[in-house]
Amino acid sequence: VLLGDALHTAHFSIGSGTKLAMEDSIALAEKLAFRARRARGARRVRARAQARHRRVSAGRHESRLWFENARDYVRLPPARLAYSLMTRSNRVTHESLRRATPSS
Ligand SMILES: Cc1cc2nc3c(=O)[nH]c(=O)nc-3n(C[C@H](O)[C@H](O)[C@H](O)COP(=O)(O)OP(=O)(O)OC[C@H]3O[C@@H](n4cnc5c(N)ncnc54)[C@H](O)[C@@H]3O)c2cc1C
């Protein structure tokens, strides 16, 4: 990266070379800070996406097993079948269902 006199010279008679060099430095510092913030932002977005993916895929094995054995579950009475389907992967639990429908 070139800054100051290495990048451009102002005739000393106008007395602005130092100011221009300082402004170049400030612009460079701002650019570097912006890139660092953007990189941190991108890392945060990636981490959130990975956490979401982990949450969603946590119960995939149990869910697949439930559907593979659906033949056994369809014999259940409708309410128990619905309960079994909803809680198949442990992402929805008895407790979370109770909280969502407190009157039941
Ligand atoms: C006579 C004169 C009067 C001036 N009056 C004014 C004024 O009144 N107001 C004003 O704003 N500007 C003035 N200027 C201009 C001002 O001095 C420069 O524009 C300003 O210093 C540029 O800053 P810089 O950091 O880019 O370069 P510099 O201040 O020149 O800094 C470059 C540094 O790098 C070092 N260096 C060079 N090669 C190497 C190397 N290979 N390895 C390691 N280090 C190296 C040098 O020793 C130097 O310390 C004047 C210039 C002159 C010549």
Side-chain angles (χ1 to χ4, degrees), residues 2 7 16 27 30 32 41 47 53 56 58 64 72 77 88 97:
L2 294 177
L7 180 63
S16 295
E30 286 173 351
L32 291 174
H53 181 259
V56 169
R64 182 174 56 79
D72 301 332
R88 69 188 180 282
L97 275 177

Side-chain angles (χ1 to χ4, degrees), residues 3-6 12 15-19 21:
L3 306 171
D5 278 4
F12 59 82
S16 295
T18 303
K19 178 176 178 284

Side-chain angles (χ1 to χ4, degrees), residues 9 13-14 16 20 34-35 37 39 46 48-49 54 59 61 63 72 76 79 81 87 89 91 97 103:
T9 51
S13 62
I14 63 166
S16 295
L20 290 175
F34 173 74
R35 287 181 62 139
R37 274 199 307 276
R46 259 200 311 279
R48 275 201 295 269
R54 273 197 301 275
H61 177 66
S63 181
D72 301 332
L76 293 171
L81 171 63
T87 57
S89 66
R91 287 171 54 219
L97 275 177
S103 59

